[in-house]
Amino acid sequence: ASLRECCWILEIQILKLTTEHDCINTLFQQLRSTLGSQTLNSTNNPHTDPLLLTTSSEPRPTHLSHPKVQFWSHADYKAWKESPEYHASVRGTMPYLEDEDGQPISASELAEIRKTLRTGWHELVDRRLAPQSWGQLSASGCKIFHSLVESTHPIFKLGESGWKLNKLVTNDYASWKRTHIDDDGNPKLKGASSEEGEKFGQEDKAESADTKKRKFESKGKGKAADKRRKGECF
């Protein structure tokens, strides 16, 4: 009788353990399914998307921390364009783009920046955040784009409210969009992007007409002044 009781007790314990095992296994499968779903959707979750998180502990530059930056605000740039210094200056095709010392960037650096811009636009297309016009860009799209470009080219932090990046992108985005995105925001078939690349390459290598004109006028004024001085010597 004692042996039968022991067997009966063991059977009950086995049944209990089997039930607990099945319950734990079910909970584990549910947990794994939930975690897998969160991983797949992480790029659309603002709380886990690395491009929407502020990972840098360093404070953003200010005009006080970088006093050599000439165009900290768009108003500074507009005032400079209305000054006599603008007509005598040679700062390239994008005079408002400058380094920490206030010096204009090179044509090669501008070319690299435009490559990054195109990468950022493709990122917006992949996330279905690409706008029909740059002024229609959503807040999350703006944060993603600025985060991507500024992390690669910190010079865009040297300005108030990201105005330099917005100014550069506003004109370039329209032509890029015509080549790469349809009216529904979907990517077009590949093939016609070479024209855009040639256009950007020409812009990067050549100075603007205004810049050339200012150089010519400045050179002409210098020659005229030399002639006057020579006349006075005689």
Side-chain angles (χ1 to χ4, degrees), residues 36-189:
S37 176
Q38 290 179 352
T39 301
L40 290 175
N41 296 326
S42 62
T43 56
N44 296 322
N45 188 342
H47 299 292
T48 58
D49 193 329
L51 289 177
L52 288 174
L53 294 174
T54 304
T55 57
S56 176
S57 59
E58 297 181 1
R60 287 184 68 89
T62 65
H63 203 184
L64 294 177
S65 64
H66 293 73
K68 294 183 180 180
V69 174
Q70 187 172 353
F71 310 119
W72 194 260
S73 68
H74 194 198
D76 295 335
Y77 177 63
K78 290 174 66 177
W80 175 77
K81 288 191 68 175
E82 296 174 357
S83 69
E85 183 183 355
Y86 167 74
H87 298 284
S89 175
V90 181
R91 292 181 62 92
T93 58
M94 303 295 170
Y96 54 89
L97 297 182
E98 53 188 329
D99 60 21
E100 294 183 348
D101 295 323
Q103 297 300 313
I105 65 172
S106 64
S108 60
E109 186 173 357
L110 180 57
E112 291 300 317
I113 287 173
R114 283 203 162 105
K115 289 181 182 179
T116 305
L117 296 185
R118 293 192 284 273
T119 299
W121 293 331
H122 281 295
E123 180 71 22
L124 294 178
V125 173
D126 292 341
R127 294 168 179 263
R128 300 196 63 81
L129 293 173
Q132 291 299 312
S133 66
W134 195 249
Q136 297 175 339
L137 183 64
S138 65
S140 58
C142 181
K143 189 169 185 179
I144 288 172
F145 186 81
H146 276 255
S147 176
L148 190 153
V149 177
E150 289 179 357
S151 63
T152 308
H153 305 283
I155 64 167
F156 287 107
K157 296 180 181 180
L158 303 175
E160 190 177 77
S161 303
W163 76 269
K164 295 180 180 180
L165 180 55
N166 287 329
K167 180 174 177 59
L168 177 63
V169 170
T170 298
N171 295 329
D172 289 355
Y173 178 74
S175 60
W176 181 88
K177 175 188 169 297
R178 284 194 297 270
T179 304
H180 294 275
I181 309 176
D182 60 23
D183 293 337
D184 296 325
N186 299 314
K188 291 183 179 180
L189 296 176

Side-chain angles (χ1 to χ4, degrees), residues 208-228:
S208 66
D210 288 342
T211 303
K212 289 183 178 180
K213 182 179 179 181
R214 291 198 302 273
K215 289 175 66 178
F216 179 78
E217 291 176 349
S218 178
K219 186 176 181 181
K221 290 178 181 178
K223 288 183 177 180
D226 290 341
K227 289 182 179 180
R228 286 196 299 270

